[in-house]
Amino acid sequence: MLGLGGDASVPKCIDKYCQRSTWPKRASVRITEDQLRGIFIRCDTNKDGLLSKEELREAFACLGSRMPGVRAWLALQHADVNGDGFINEAEFDKLVKYTLKSGYKIN
Ligand SMILES: [Ca+2]
Ligand SMILES: [Ca+2]
């Protein structure tokens, strides 16, 4: 059960990015493109350079989405241009822009 499918592994991004200790605490701050990129990159837990739906779900969970599965699905609908179910490097920009537009905030 060690990580071949990727599903069973605990995403490191949760530990590192959801503590929020390094982020400004006051009010809600709009997440920056750089922060978003960092989160998505770290949520590529199997480091294959592609973001699967499961990895996206973890990323949206990190972002505090209440329905990360739905968010992941919507993001794929939007950004997965070639329809293979993964976000590759070329599609990454679209994903980041799309997510930025949906206005995530850091609390
Ligand atoms: Ca991956
Ligand atoms: Ca794709």
Side-chain angles (χ1 to χ4, degrees):
M1 272 303 281
L2 271 183
L4 276 185
D7 286 345
S9 58
V10 178
K12 300 269 189 311
C13 60
I14 297 282
D15 305 314
K16 285 197 179 144
Y17 269 80
C18 288
Q19 285 179 344
R20 291 169 193 186
S21 50
T22 55
W23 287 348
K25 271 222 151 170
R26 60 201 145 139
S28 293
V29 181
R30 221 161 223 269
I31 195 164
T32 67
E33 187 170 332
D34 277 352
Q35 287 171 323
L36 202 51
R37 282 173 187 275
I39 288 170
F40 280 131
I41 287 167
R42 275 165 187 77
C43 282
D44 178 19
T45 44
N46 62 358
K47 306 287 179 218
D48 62 353
L50 302 167
L51 285 169
S52 66
K53 189 168 174 234
E54 283 69 32
E55 289 165 346
L56 279 173
R57 195 183 59 210
E58 294 306 335
F60 283 109
C62 274
L63 290 166
S65 170
R66 268 182 242 157
M67 293 182 293
V70 175
R71 280 290 177 184
W73 184 81
L74 284 172
L76 270 179
Q77 299 306 303
H78 200 87
D80 182 17
V81 178
N82 64 3
D84 63 355
F86 294 90
I87 300 299
N88 63 24
E89 223 182 310
E91 294 159 348
F92 193 75
D93 259 359
K94 212 170 157 68
L95 171 72
V96 170
K97 295 273 187 319
Y98 167 77
T99 310
L100 271 181
K101 257 201 316 196
S102 51
Y104 276 97
K105 295 191 171 96
I106 302 164
N107 290 310

